[in-house]
């Protein structure tokens, strides 16, 4: 009887352990896939309480009051499954009785905002390049699997052709429009700007595996942009990277055969280390730490590529620029919000402390991720200008730039 009971207990224990192991493996696989499988749409989780029409025909929009919707600055609102877009201005009214906030609507670029029931809060103040009111041209950049679209902004017609170009790289799950916030300051600086797309962003040709590699392969598409710039007269390149775009910029500056042309990098809400970033996001989502570390193993494993669909495992160590800080060799301006809930601010602080000779950190009080420009565009652009004038071989001064603007 005792032997029979012990046998049953052992079997139940084995089954329970097997179930727990299976759940852990399944959870780790799900986590790893969430990291690398591109997402081209998001759930519209911000409800619209009301849209008000002013006497002059202008609009105001009312949301539940949150840290994001109350934040100072300019933002945007995507609705109608991403086909509608509006630029939102300052807070106009706060309604304590119904816990809502009303913001001005600067522009409605597409869709019927008056009929919008819900949407997505965003930093994309400009959804299209023409909204900047600056001349630009659509160009095509030859990349591995075809040609990738890009936007080129040249300096003022009265200026000499710029020998310094800025290449702007958007973030994960985003589009080229996300990098347009960096165009006004680079134009004032007299730079030619190239806003690029990269594999698996929905605009550039996808990679064969149709997976993100967190900068490990995307940098080759930025390299193609660097080659385009050089073939069109660029002698120096400044890389502007937003979030994942910052990780891509770091890889390009390290691996590009033309890295000697890269004069510096401006990184907004950068990913300096993917382990730190992914672990912070997983913790916020309530995922157990052992499951997350198992997910890292899946991402790094050549034999488990079938789980993620990756053509090659992700070498997380090579993407860790905190561990590789001694290898940094370009001036870097970091613009990062202390309250960033996606890419930890502490990683940027650590990068600046590890390499104070190269990394300048400017802190912002922005809510959310990659919204530093939105909360204070004057501070963001002034920081870029001051940093740029400190670069070697810029060939201009603040007084010259002021005369050009």
């Amino acid at each position: 009887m005792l032997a029979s009971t012990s046998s049953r207990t052992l079997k139940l224990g084995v089954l329970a352990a097997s179930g727990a192991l299976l759940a852990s493996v399944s959870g780790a696989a799900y986590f790893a896939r969430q990291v690398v499988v591109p997402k081209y749409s998001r759930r519209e989780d911000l409800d619209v309480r009301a849209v008000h029409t002013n006497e002059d025909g202008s609009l105001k929009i009312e949301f539940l009051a949150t840290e994001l919707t109350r934040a100072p600055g300019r933002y945007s609102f995507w609705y109608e499954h991403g086909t509608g877009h509006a630029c939102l201005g300052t807070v106009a009214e706060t309604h304590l009785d119904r816990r809502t906030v009303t913001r001005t609507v600067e522009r409605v670029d597409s869709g019927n905002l008056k009929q919008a029931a819900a949407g997505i809060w965003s930093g994309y103040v400009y959804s299209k390049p023409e909204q900047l009111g600056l001349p630009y041209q659509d160009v095509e950049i030859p990349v591995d699997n075809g040609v990738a679209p890009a936007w080129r902004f040249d300096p003022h017609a009265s200026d000499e052709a710029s020998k310094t170009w800025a290449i702007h790289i958007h973030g994960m799950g985003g589009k080229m429009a996300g990098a347009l916030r960096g165009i006004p300051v680079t134009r004032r600086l007299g730079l030619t700007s190239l806003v690029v797309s990269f594999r698996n962003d929905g605009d550039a040709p996808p990679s064969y595996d149709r997976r993100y590699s967190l900068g490990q392969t995307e940098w080759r598409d930025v390299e193609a942009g660097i080659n385009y710039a050089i073939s069109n007269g660029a002698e120096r390149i400044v890389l502007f990277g937003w979030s994942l775009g910052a990780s891509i910029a770091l890889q390009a500056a390290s691996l590009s055969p033309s890295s000697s042309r890269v004069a510096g990098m401006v990184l907004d809400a950068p990913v300096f280390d993917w382990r730190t970033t992914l672990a912070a996001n997983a913790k916020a989502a309530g995922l157990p730490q052992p499951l997350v570390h198992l997910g890292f193993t899946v991402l790094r494993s050549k034999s488990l590529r079938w789980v993620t669909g990756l053509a090659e495992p992700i070498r997380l160590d090579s993407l860790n620029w905190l561990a590789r800080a001694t290898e940094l060799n370009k001036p870097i301006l970091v613009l990062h919000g202390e309250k960033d809930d996606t890419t930890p601010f502490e990683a940027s602080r650590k990068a600046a402390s590890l390499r104070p000779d190269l990394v300048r950190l400017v802190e912002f009080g922005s809510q959310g991720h990659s919204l530093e420009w939105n909360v204070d565009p004057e501070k963001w652009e002034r920081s870029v200008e001051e940093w740029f004038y400190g670069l070697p071989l810029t060939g201009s001064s603040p007084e010259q730039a002021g005369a050009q603007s």
Side-chain angles (χ1 to χ4, degrees), residues 211-292:
R211 296 291 186 267
Y212 287 131
S213 66
L214 311 184
Q216 184 171 285
T217 59
E218 290 89 348
W219 73 269
R220 295 173 190 153
D221 298 330
V222 173
E223 162 70 6
I226 292 173
N227 290 338
Y228 172 90
I230 292 172
S231 68
N232 282 271
E235 295 180 358
R236 296 174 298 276
I237 307 289
V238 178
L239 299 175
F240 282 68
W242 301 72
S243 191
L244 167 62
S247 182
I248 296 171
L250 287 162
Q251 291 298 105
S254 172
L255 299 173
S256 169
S258 301
S259 63
S260 62
R261 304 284 190 115
V262 177
M265 291 174 273
V266 176
L267 308 181
D268 185 282
V271 179
F272 277 108
D273 171 33
W274 278 103
R275 282 193 186 88
T276 300
T277 297
L278 296 175
N281 281 265
K283 182 178 180 180
L287 296 180
Q289 189 176 28
L291 183 149
V292 175

Side-chain angles (χ1 to χ4, degrees), residues 138-203:
D138 292 295
V139 299
E140 293 183 331
I141 310 292
V143 294
D144 287 348
N145 291 336
V147 292
W151 297 320
R152 174 175 170 174
F153 293 81
D154 288 306
H156 297 274
S158 59
D159 295 343
E160 294 183 10
S162 175
K163 298 296 184 182
T164 304
W165 283 45
I167 295 181
H168 305 257
I169 315 159
H170 67 78
M172 180 179 281
K175 298 286 187 179
M176 292 189 293
L180 289 174
R181 289 165 285 180
I183 297 299
V185 66
T186 53
R187 180 163 171 90
R188 288 200 304 275
L189 291 169
L191 310 184
T192 299
S193 277
L194 189 68
V195 182
V196 298
S197 56
F198 55 81
R199 60 194 65 190
N200 306 313
D201 70 354
D203 289 325

Side-chain angles (χ1 to χ4, degrees), residues 15 27 44 62 82 85 130 162 175 207 264 266 298 300 306 322 324 331 348 356 374:
L15 287 173
E44 296 183 341
E62 187 174 348
H85 181 267
E130 51 265 32
S162 175
K175 298 286 187 179
S207 59
V266 176
V298 173
R300 297 196 313 268
W306 61 272
L322 298 179
R324 299 179 62 191
S348 290
N374 301 81

Side-chain angles (χ1 to χ4, degrees), residues 56-72:
D56 61 1
S58 61
L59 300 177
K60 293 184 293 186
I61 188 167
E62 187 174 348
F63 303 107
L64 181 69
T66 67
E67 290 184 340
L68 275 178
T69 59
R70 288 194 303 260

Side-chain angles (χ1 to χ4, degrees), residues 105-125:
V105 177
E106 293 186 6
R107 296 188 321 270
V108 176
D109 300 320
S110 57
N112 186 349
L113 182 62
K114 293 181 180 180
Q115 297 298 316
I120 298 167
W121 190 263
S122 167
Y124 284 39
V125 167

